[in-house]
């Protein structure tokens, strides 16, 4: 199928990339793996991919396995580690060979590098498995330390946001060149939202009415911050007794909530907090559509799919000012400090203002369109190709038949930011830098993006570029100082001081991007929050 010369694989135009996906996650909880299913469904349809699904459980009723090649690993009949041993036996005995093995979660088996594939890709999503508080079970320790200690065998880790990208580098101590950001997609089922009658029928099953509740979706875990949401809601009701909204907690049951956060505080409005438990995916659009607002004020998210799902349903969003959430929401949500119940209480009141709601709905519908399944598939396949032949596509072609209805032109503030960073790389990196050719190509690409704006009549000023080069240069220097401080073990106080200074510089950087957007009348651009600023 391919020939090897100096560790490079040369493909003809007719050859396919042989991809193996460890799909056993779909067997365990098939109803909760919609994102992975969409990825697999999309890859199966792509002519350049030859897809094989590898798993342990026979799933005769799942049509997905009839669309791709399937390898069913016989489970070793032991009380413990039976899947692990089945995996090892397959690796040591199979004659199959693949170009890529793609793990859907960062829970890879020890000795994962024995898998018969040239490149290993792991969807790590973020660093939450390592850095978020919680009970470190034996299996969690095994999975986490397997990736930390043996990260050199991973060719690519996929992050679901730029924040998650930085978090993965920090949590798993992996080289930045091996972490690639691929944004998740808005599921196609949100392409057409349910009408009022369908919404009403769905809500009737849960005993609630449209536009009478604030919604939260997620598990009742500490980093989901549901306790502060409950406190803020009760405070909102006590300060505004004329308001009658319920608080609906989807994905949670009261017993699990109380095990994590304790009993709900005594209040005349405690009875207005409803726990709905697990909600099937097909009911989610109606729940979003019926809500006054989604309140998703968590402490740590790699991405936060409920944010864009609610936006697609025309529902205003309140979300956190930390981790990936400002990046995902952009300027299409109310952003609050998740640890400040007073601020969240005020946000619940503000979101009921008709003008605020109209603005949030308009911006949200625009914002969610950036996260398409076509873009996700394109970036995933582009990563495969890059790992095989070293050629990284620079941009997603808006004219592609897979993206005929989506405009993904790079926003000008983002293009200037990227261009300034690449300018610094070309100035500071040595001439023999291995990635210099790719950097030069990306530099030329973003230069053309800026020129395209000028050709459209946008008055792009050279001083904007100079200002971004200046601030990114300061950030670069300070990031180097932080790394130097850690290497020299200067102590947490000094490293922390430098990290706070970097946070302040990033605030200036974001302000300059906002200023560019304001001057050209841009309603939206992507705001990124650097890890050090958290």
């Amino acid at each position: 199928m391919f020939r090897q010369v100096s560790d490079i694989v040369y493909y003809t135009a007719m050859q396919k990339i042989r991809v193996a996906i460890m799909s056993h996650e779909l067997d365990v909880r098939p109803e909760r793996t919609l994102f992975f299913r969409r990825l697999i469904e999309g890859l199966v349809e792509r002519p350049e991919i030859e897809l094989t699904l590898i798993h342990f459980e026979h799933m005769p009723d799942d049509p997905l396995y009839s669309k791709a090649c399937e390898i069913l690993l016989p489970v070793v009949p032991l009380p413990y580690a039976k899947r692990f041993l089945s995996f090892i036996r397959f690796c040591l005995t199979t004659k199959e060979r693949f170009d890529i093995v793609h793990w859907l979660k960062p829970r890879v088996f020890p000795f994962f590098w024995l898998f018969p594939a040239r490149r290993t890709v792991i969807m790590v999503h973020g660093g939450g498995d390592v850095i978020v508080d919680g009970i470190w079970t034996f299996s969690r320790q095994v999975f986490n330390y397997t990736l930390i200690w043996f990260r050199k065998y991973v060719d690519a880790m996929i992050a679901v946001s730029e924040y998650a990208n930085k978090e993965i580098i920090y949590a798993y101590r992996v080289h930045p060149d091996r972490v690639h950001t691929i944004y998740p997609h808005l599921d196609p089922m949100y392409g057409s939202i349910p009408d009022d009658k369908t919404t009403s029928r769905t809500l009737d099953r849960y005993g609630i009415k449209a536009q009478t509740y604030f919604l939260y979706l997620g598990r009742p875990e500490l980093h989901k911050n549901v306790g502060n949401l409950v406190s803020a809601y009760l405070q909102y009701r006590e300060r505004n007794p004329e308001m009658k909204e319920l608080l609906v907690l989807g994905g949670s049951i009261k017993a699990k909530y109380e095990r994590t956060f304790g009993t709900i505080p005594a209040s005349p409005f405690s009875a207005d907090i409803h726990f709905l438990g697990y909600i099937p995916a097909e009911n989610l659009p109606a729940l979003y559509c019926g809500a006054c607002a989604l309140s998703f004020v968590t402490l740590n998210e790699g991405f936060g799919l409920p944010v864009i799902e609610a936006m697609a349903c025309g529902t205003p969003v309140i979300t956190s000012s930390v981790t990936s959430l400002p990046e995902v929401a952009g300027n299409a949500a109310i952003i609050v400090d998740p640890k400040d119940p007073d601020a969240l209480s005020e946000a619940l009141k503000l979101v009921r203002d008709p003008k605020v709601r109209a603005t949030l709905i308009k911006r949200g519908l625009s914002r969610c369109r950036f996260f398409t399944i076509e873009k996700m598939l394109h970036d995933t396949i582009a990563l495969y190709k890059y790992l095989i032949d070293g050629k990284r596509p620079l941009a997603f072609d808006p004219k592609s038949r897979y993206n005929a209805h989506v405009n993904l032109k790079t926003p000008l503030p983002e293009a200037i930011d990227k261009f300034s960073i690449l300018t610094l790389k070309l100035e500071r990196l040595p001439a023999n830098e291995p990635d210099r050719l790719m950097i030069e190509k990306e530099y030329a690409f973003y230069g053309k993006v800026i020129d395209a704006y000028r050709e459209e009549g946008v008055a792009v000023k050279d001083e904007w570029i100079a200002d971004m080069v200046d601030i990114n240069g300061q950030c670069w220097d300070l990031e180097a100082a932080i790394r130097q401080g850690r290497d020299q073990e200067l102590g947490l106080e000094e490293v922390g001081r430098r990290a706070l200074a970097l946070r302040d510089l990033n605030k200036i950087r974001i302000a300059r991007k906002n200023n560019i957007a304001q001057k050209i009348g841009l309603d939206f651009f992507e705001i990124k929050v650097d890890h050090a600023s958290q």
Side-chain angles (χ1 to χ4, degrees):
M1 196 69 178
F2 56 84
R3 61 187 179 92
Q4 180 179 346
V5 179
S6 301
D7 202 35
I8 300 178
V9 180
Y10 295 92
Y11 284 81
T12 69
M14 297 301 295
Q15 288 173 319
K16 295 187 175 185
I17 304 173
R18 298 198 69 204
V19 178
I21 290 185
M22 296 299 299
S23 63
H24 55 288
E25 296 290 346
L26 277 66
D27 303 347
V28 179
R29 287 183 167 180
E31 76 283 1
R32 300 194 181 193
T33 55
L34 188 59
F35 172 78
F36 300 142
R37 296 184 69 84
R38 299 297 194 216
L39 170 65
I40 293 170
E41 289 169 355
L43 291 176
V44 165
E45 299 297 325
R46 296 302 292 262
E48 65 267 50
I49 300 296
E50 180 182 316
L51 190 65
T52 300
L53 304 179
I54 301 178
H55 62 133
F56 302 95
E57 306 291 336
H58 183 46
M59 307 289 286
D61 298 328
D62 192 334
L64 200 59
Y65 289 103
S66 65
K67 298 178 181 179
C69 300
E70 178 186 13
I71 296 178
L72 191 64
L73 304 186
V75 176
V76 177
L78 291 173
Y80 302 104
K82 53 188 178 182
R83 291 187 174 188
F84 164 65
L85 292 174
S86 297
F87 171 77
I88 295 298
R89 182 171 64 180
F90 169 77
C91 293
L92 296 177
T93 61
T94 184
K95 295 182 180 180
E96 295 282 352
R97 293 295 181 268
F98 299 94
D99 301 315
I100 302 285
V101 58
H102 188 147
W103 296 77
L104 299 176
K105 288 187 177 182
R107 296 161 193 170
V108 298
F109 296 123
F111 303 103
F112 65 87
W113 55 90
L114 296 178
F115 190 91
R118 292 189 54 77
R119 300 288 182 258
T120 298
V121 176
I122 303 176
M123 295 184 73
V124 182
H125 302 276
D129 279 2
V130 175
I131 65 176
V132 170
D133 292 335
I135 299 173
W136 275 59
T137 62
F138 176 72
S139 61
R140 182 178 177 182
Q141 292 185 58
V142 169
F143 291 136
N144 286 346
Y145 286 115
T146 295
L147 267 190
I148 292 171
W149 290 341
F150 301 104
R151 60 190 180 276
K152 68 178 183 179
Y153 295 108
V154 182
D155 297 286
M157 293 185 178
I158 295 177
V160 291
S161 65
E162 290 295 338
Y163 172 82
N165 187 304
K166 305 295 190 297
E167 193 177 65
I168 289 169
I169 295 168
Y170 173 81
Y172 294 99
R173 308 165 198 173
V174 65
H175 194 281
D177 288 349
R178 295 197 177 191
V179 186
H180 306 261
T181 301
I182 299 178
Y183 285 111
H185 64 277
L186 180 67
D187 194 87
M189 72 177 176
Y190 293 97
S192 58
I193 60 176
D195 57 29
D196 292 343
K197 289 184 178 179
T198 304
T199 298
S200 181
R201 283 197 301 268
T202 303
L203 298 184
D204 286 343
R205 301 174 196 169
Y206 298 102
I208 52 180
K209 300 294 182 182
Q211 299 305 308
T212 65
Y213 61 92
F214 298 116
L215 178 65
Y216 163 80
L217 287 175
R219 296 163 293 174
E221 297 181 0
L222 281 173
H223 73 280
K224 294 296 186 179
N225 201 38
V226 190
N228 266 341
L229 172 58
V230 167
S231 298
Y233 167 75
L234 294 176
Q235 186 172 301
Y236 162 75
R237 290 294 305 276
E238 289 163 4
R239 291 178 177 177
N240 305 277
E242 74 282 2
M243 309 303 285
K244 305 298 180 184
E245 298 94 346
L246 309 175
L247 177 62
V248 171
L249 305 177
S252 308
I253 61 173
K254 190 173 183 180
K256 286 186 177 180
Y257 170 89
E258 292 183 339
R259 280 200 296 270
T260 305
F261 298 101
T263 57
I264 295 175
S267 168
F269 307 104
S270 297
D272 290 339
I273 301 173
H274 292 206
F275 293 84
L276 300 190
Y278 170 70
I279 299 171
E282 61 268 21
N283 291 344
L284 290 177
L287 277 170
Y288 284 126
C289 287
C292 301
L294 173 76
S295 184
F296 197 72
V297 286
T298 63
L299 300 175
N300 184 282
E301 294 292 332
F303 184 83
L305 275 174
V307 170
I308 61 170
E309 290 171 350
M311 289 176 177
C313 294
T315 300
V317 173
I318 303 168
T319 194
S320 299
S321 60
V322 299
T323 67
S324 68
L325 292 166
E327 175 186 344
V328 174
N331 69 344
I334 297 175
I335 308 293
V336 299
D337 181 348
K339 295 183 178 180
D340 186 352
D342 285 337
L344 180 51
S345 174
E346 288 301 313
L348 294 174
K349 181 178 180 181
L350 178 62
V351 81
R352 300 300 281 151
D353 182 284
K355 291 184 179 179
V356 173
R357 291 180 62 79
T359 299
L360 292 175
I361 290 170
K362 178 183 177 181
R363 290 182 176 181
L365 290 171
S366 174
R367 176 62 170 154
C368 69
R369 296 192 188 104
F370 281 83
F371 303 98
T372 67
I373 192 169
E374 293 86 2
K375 178 71 163 59
M376 183 271 294
L377 287 169
H378 172 275
D379 289 350
T380 301
I381 295 172
L383 176 59
Y384 294 163
K385 293 178 178 178
Y386 171 67
L387 293 175
I388 291 169
D389 59 25
K391 296 178 181 178
R392 184 199 298 272
L394 294 178
F396 186 41
D397 182 5
K399 298 179 181 179
S400 166
R401 67 185 181 89
Y402 297 105
N403 193 43
H405 306 293
V406 182
N407 178 14
L408 291 173
K409 184 177 181 180
T410 306
L412 179 61
E414 194 66 26
I416 291 176
D417 189 39
K418 294 281 189 184
F419 184 78
S420 68
I421 293 170
L422 293 162
T423 300
L424 288 166
K425 287 184 176 181
L426 291 175
E427 290 176 355
R428 299 188 179 194
L429 294 178
N432 60 350
E433 169 67 30
D435 291 334
R436 190 172 183 88
L437 181 60
M438 186 182 73
I439 294 170
E440 290 174 349
K441 289 181 178 179
E442 290 188 325
Y443 173 85
F445 168 76
Y446 284 109
K448 290 179 180 178
V449 171
I450 295 170
D451 289 341
Y453 275 101
R454 285 178 167 140
E455 289 172 4
E456 292 175 1
V458 178
V460 182
K461 296 186 178 180
D462 291 339
E463 65 188 60
W464 297 349
I465 299 173
D467 286 345
M468 293 307 299
V469 170
D470 172 65
I471 193 64
N472 277 311
Q474 293 182 55
C475 289
W476 184 321
D477 293 338
L478 201 47
E479 285 171 354
I482 291 171
R483 288 193 296 270
Q484 183 183 43
R486 288 170 178 163
D487 293 342
Q488 296 177 354
E489 298 183 354
L490 296 182
L492 288 176
E493 184 175 349
E494 175 59 22
V495 172
R497 184 190 66 78
R498 296 179 184 184
L500 289 174
L502 179 60
R503 179 199 63 186
D504 293 338
L505 284 177
N506 275 310
K507 287 181 179 178
I508 297 172
R509 172 173 164 264
I510 290 171
R512 289 184 181 180
K513 291 171 68 177
N514 273 313
N515 187 45
I516 294 171
Q518 185 178 15
K519 286 181 177 179
I520 65 173
L522 186 63
D523 186 54
F524 161 80
F525 71 95
E526 198 169 325
I527 296 175
K528 297 182 179 179
V529 179
D530 292 280
H531 181 79
S533 69
Q534 301 304 322

